[in-house]
Amino acid sequence: MNDSAEPSAAGEPGEGTRAVRAGLPEPVKYEPTLPGPVFAAHFHLPGDPTGPYTYGRDQNPTWTHLEHALGELEAPGRDDVETLVFASGMAAISAVLFSQLRAGDTVVLPSDGYQVFPLVRAQLEAYGIEVRTAPTGGDGQLDALDGARLLWIESPSNPGLDVCDIRRLVAEAHARGALVAVDNTLATPLGQRPLELGADFSVASGTKQLTGHGDVLLGYVTAPAGAPMTAVRGWRKIVGAIPGPMEAWLAHRSLATLALRVDRQSGTALAVAEALRGRPEVTGLRYPGLPDDPSHKVASAQMRRYGCVVSFTLPTRARAERFLEELRFVDDATSFGGVRSTAERRGRWGGDAVPEGFVRLSVGAEDPADLVPDLLRALDASAS
């Protein structure tokens, strides 16, 4: 993993500077540095519609600023990529899948990915698309690639935090004629950049750490300009899965603190994982930043930061529920990546193949000196 304190390359801003300034328009005297949200269903449009803004389902100036910002973070220095924002992470995922696949095609999904994928699989199969699944860890998806049109990677996987060698899978998929999409939600573009690793699409839920405050639903797709991305844009237009201007503006505003939040949260997550490692009731502890984690070597070769999520298993469902009830500085809530720490027993949703006592912990921006003792105290209290 590259240290976030490393100096930036000559002439190129560092990640923190880029996050603060990404997507801002050229300064205009007496105008705000980040223009407010543009609420418009239609625009003045005399004559032929030759400008960029014609109708609110197609484009919006507030989206444009955010899309430019996300493109700068996902693919800095490249002017051949496009970013499209969506109403949610699932809207972005669906746009890639359903714009690229046709009846008779084959897609390879992770068997340990996001828990909504079983619903996605059912819909794909209803459209005559063959769905194969394989685990993230050990590059298990390699064995399912023959004849595939699209490979979908989720690395690190949610919630198990397995990691695959993205470069290796991309090379094999491309050699067999398949496109590759990488769900970059858990890593964020400050953790890894899938396009630099060779992927065709970087897809993410901006609901999570990217915006980081638990108050915005958002998704996006970044990819090189070309026919695949044109199809994604067409899908967004047809389905209308667009974000509101207020959500887009809040997301852009939140990017300014992304580097600060990611550094703080990933540093504390490592401290939490190290503290949990010594507890006898904790099994199956996973955090890619731990030197003895099964994914650490691969993660270190492709990630610059390891994320804010730690997963582990307590002996029983009841023990996990007591642990969550005892926490003072951690909310029992779903999702992850927010400035306030959250945790949940993932088995309550029924979509993840995890033990009943499995806990997904999202580490927030609280002081480590408060958070770590709170976790250890809750473990002690939940034993009785």
Side-chain angles (χ1 to χ4, degrees), residues 62-355:
T62 309
W63 304 353
T64 300
H65 294 315
L66 176 59
E67 288 170 343
H68 288 170
L70 293 170
E72 290 179 39
L73 298 181
E74 285 279 355
R78 291 182 60 175
D79 57 8
D80 64 333
V81 300
E82 298 181 41
T83 297
L84 296 173
V85 290
F86 290 82
S88 68
M90 278 308 305
I93 290 170
S94 299
V96 174
L97 289 172
F98 292 104
S99 70
Q100 304 304 310
L101 297 169
R102 302 288 185 271
D105 285 344
T106 298
V107 61
V108 180
L109 302 179
S111 58
D112 52 345
Y114 183 43
Q115 56 103 2
V116 178
F117 267 130
L119 298 177
V120 174
R121 175 175 189 161
Q123 191 61 63
L124 289 166
E125 290 176 338
Y127 288 160
I129 298 163
E130 180 185 352
V131 179
R132 301 174 190 160
T133 62
T136 299
D139 299 341
Q141 292 175 297
L142 283 174
D143 295 332
L145 283 177
D146 282 345
R149 164 66 179 163
L150 177 68
L151 167 64
W152 192 277
I153 292 172
E154 190 176 295
S155 180
S157 62
N158 172 31
L161 303 183
D162 266 325
V163 171
C164 62
D165 185 336
I166 296 175
R167 292 184 185 89
R168 181 187 182 200
L169 265 70
V170 166
E172 289 290 339
H174 285 172
R176 304 183 202 190
L179 296 169
V180 181
V182 175
D183 186 327
N184 205 36
T185 301
L186 203 146
T188 83
L190 269 62
Q192 70 186 7
R193 300 190 191 114
L195 299 188
E196 289 185 357
L197 301 174
D200 300 288
F201 300 96
S202 180
V203 187
S205 168
T207 307
K208 311 298 194 294
Q209 195 172 22
L210 189 87
T211 56
H213 293 79
D215 54 8
V216 172
L217 286 171
L218 194 88
Y220 70 90
V221 179
T222 300
M229 196 57 163
T230 298
V232 174
R233 184 183 295 276
W235 181 264
R236 184 178 71 172
K237 180 183 178 74
I238 293 168
V239 176
I242 58 172
M246 191 66 191
E247 286 79 5
W249 184 85
L250 286 170
H252 197 171
R253 179 211 59 175
S254 298
L255 291 182
T257 61
L258 180 60
L260 300 174
R261 290 185 281 108
V262 167
D263 281 342
R264 173 61 172 258
Q265 290 171 261
S266 60
T268 305
L270 179 59
V272 165
E274 289 172 339
L276 293 176
R277 186 166 51 180
R279 298 292 302 213
E281 67 272 66
V282 170
T283 59
L285 176 68
R286 296 300 302 270
Y287 182 66
L290 284 173
D292 57 351
D293 186 272
S295 293
H296 182 73
K297 182 177 180 180
V298 174
S300 297
Q302 64 193 24
M303 299 183 73
R304 302 186 308 286
R305 297 168 178 85
Y306 298 111
C308 64
V309 177
V310 178
S311 67
F312 57 94
T313 300
L314 294 176
T316 63
R317 169 178 177 168
R319 179 70 184 276
E321 290 174 344
R322 290 197 301 270
F323 166 72
L324 295 171
E325 290 171 358
E326 290 289 342
L327 291 166
R328 291 180 55 209
F329 298 123
V330 182
D331 297 329
D332 191 340
T334 195
S335 198
F336 58 85
V339 291
R340 289 172 289 278
S341 293
T342 60
E344 67 172 338
R345 191 183 65 81
R346 285 298 293 176
R348 64 182 177 175
W349 297 104
D352 295 310
V354 295

Side-chain angles (χ1 to χ4, degrees), residues 14-74:
E15 288 188 323
T17 303
R18 186 179 295 115
V20 168
R21 306 198 65 83
L24 297 182
E26 290 297 320
V28 177
K29 191 173 183 178
Y30 305 126
E31 293 293 324
T33 54
L34 176 61
V38 175
F39 299 97
H42 57 262
F43 302 83
H44 288 294
L45 199 63
D48 293 333
T50 57
Y53 304 111
T54 58
Y55 186 61
R57 191 182 68 251
D58 296 331
Q59 194 55 275
N60 177 288
T62 309
W63 304 353
T64 300
H65 294 315
L66 176 59
E67 288 170 343
H68 288 170
L70 293 170
E72 290 179 39
L73 298 181
E74 285 279 355

